[in-house]
Amino acid sequence: MAWLTLGAQLARSLPDAGWRPVWWRLPLFTLAWLGFGLLALSHGLGFLIDDLLFRGYRQVAVRAPVFIVGVPRSGTTHLQRMLAEDPAFTSLTLWECLLAPSISERYVWSFMGRLVRPFRRLGRRWRWAAMDRVHTLGWREPEEDFLLLLWRGACFLPALICPKAQGYWRLAFFDQSVAEGERRALTAYYHACLQRHLYFHGRHRRVLSKNPSFTPWVDSLRERFPGARFIACVRRPEEAVPSQLSALRPALKLLGHRQVDPQLSERMLSILHNYYRRVRGWRADDDVLCLPLPYLAKMQAPDWQRLYAFAEQPLPPADALMTVSGARRDARPGHRYSLEEYGLSRARVRYLFADVWPDAGACS
């Protein structure tokens, strides 16, 4: 059971930041564990109600979803939020992933949302400034739907809270490290979540998923979703590595860590190397389009036409295409970082990634 497993891992991880921050980590971990348990119970009940009242979701076809994968910190969020402006696509939002993966919960939370609508402006004033400089969070923003896998203990994020829990780290090498039966069970669960999403938002729409953490899942996703298209965003390792390590700092600081632990840095280097290796292996695959970050930042109308042709998606009308291409960038000023902060150098990073770059940047 994911709830009990998480509780045991949190208890073991309490002193990982030293004994001084335990006074802060103990209530934080307790609240997180209790909240996780209550939400997991709510979702289990919601899934049961779905099977009683909304059984039609099982007949919904998840038609050739588009997965934005690749290397973290390479423009994946920017691309998702631009494409999400096209109403032909639909992505899960943060509130749907965390609060309402079931159809019944979405109706309940949507009703509650209408009741509290006058107070939404108050909620907008409260922002996590440190995280906003890295990745803008918003309840109604398209978000990484691998958060749905939290409720099955198959989301990678708890590895940052419980770094000694090997079960989470293996997810970063999913296709190679997870047994076939477990892989199929998890992708079946994820498929059912997408069916529920389309049942609620319109079965005629096409799922747009953005998850760099799905880069090591691509073989399993291909098996589960025939006809899926994969857009792999990439960036120079000497830029992606410090950006990714820097992106961890707000969460680690919240957990009581003063800095990114060198052992965590080494593990992240290994994971990123695997991501680049996977992207490099897709160079000859017809279902993968590679988008290097510099190219993504300068896309014009012909580039969008090429992207839509690859996705086998009809182009939206000219005015809608202008809306898509002009959608706001997610990156915020103030996110500054350097390799030296993490005891690394450009020469070492280039050496570590020499066998997977620059070939990974030419996989289209």
Side-chain angles (χ1 to χ4, degrees), residues 45-289:
L45 179 61
F47 291 149
L48 178 62
I49 294 174
D50 287 354
D51 286 330
L52 294 175
L53 300 182
F54 307 108
R55 287 176 290 181
Y57 82 86
R58 293 183 177 275
Q59 279 69 55
V60 174
V62 182
R63 178 180 55 87
V66 175
F67 292 99
I68 301 173
V69 294
V71 178
R73 314 301 303 162
S74 298
T76 54
T77 299
H78 178 48
L79 179 59
Q80 181 196 27
R81 293 184 178 177
M82 286 195 294
L83 287 175
E85 297 290 329
D86 184 345
F89 290 112
T90 178
S91 295
L92 276 89
T93 56
L94 185 60
W95 77 270
E96 291 172 317
C97 292
L98 295 182
L99 302 180
S102 70
I103 301 165
S104 50
E105 287 174 300
R106 292 185 193 195
Y107 281 117
V108 171
W109 282 102
S110 295
F111 174 73
M112 293 176 63
R114 286 193 289 270
L115 293 180
V116 302
R117 186 173 296 170
F119 305 100
R120 282 183 184 173
R121 291 183 180 178
L122 296 176
R124 292 194 189 106
R125 295 180 183 177
W126 297 94
R127 304 292 306 178
W128 188 359
M131 181 56 74
D132 269 357
R133 288 193 290 269
V134 176
H135 174 86
T136 305
L137 293 173
W139 283 112
R140 303 176 69 83
E141 291 279 7
E143 197 46 81
E144 298 186 12
D145 59 25
F146 84 134
L147 293 171
L148 294 167
L149 298 162
L150 274 170
W151 319 114
R152 290 295 185 272
C155 177
F156 175 74
L157 284 180
L160 303 177
I161 308 174
C162 313
K164 296 177 182 176
Q166 299 303 318
Y168 296 123
W169 290 104
R170 70 192 176 109
L171 297 169
F173 304 86
F174 187 78
D175 285 332
Q176 291 77 35
S177 301
V178 178
E180 181 180 356
E182 185 179 356
R183 291 201 312 271
R184 289 186 174 179
L186 289 173
T187 54
Y189 160 75
Y190 176 65
H191 180 263
C193 287
L194 296 187
Q195 287 179 302
R196 290 181 170 94
H197 180 75
L198 291 173
Y199 182 93
F200 187 81
H201 287 283
R203 61 185 69 200
H204 62 285
R205 303 179 74 183
R206 192 172 181 187
V207 169
L208 173 68
S209 166
K210 187 273 295 189
N211 292 287
S213 295
F214 273 171
T215 301
W217 292 56
V218 165
D219 291 343
S220 299
L221 293 172
R222 280 170 166 160
E223 179 182 350
R224 186 73 207 186
F225 301 100
R229 311 298 279 179
F230 299 89
I231 304 172
C233 295
V234 292
R235 185 183 189 181
R236 293 180 179 274
E238 59 266 35
E239 298 171 354
V241 168
S243 181
Q244 177 60 48
L245 293 176
S246 177
L248 302 178
R249 287 191 301 186
L252 293 175
K253 186 176 181 180
L254 179 65
L255 296 171
H257 295 273
R258 295 184 178 180
Q259 58 185 6
V260 179
D261 184 79
Q263 186 176 2
L264 176 59
S265 296
E266 291 298 319
R267 278 196 138 163
M268 293 306 301
L269 283 171
S270 174
I271 289 171
L272 290 173
H273 185 278
N274 181 54
Y275 282 22
Y276 279 101
R277 182 183 62 80
R278 294 300 303 271
V279 174
R280 184 176 185 270
W282 300 331
R283 286 176 297 174
D285 295 351
D286 294 335
D287 60 350
V288 179
L289 175 69

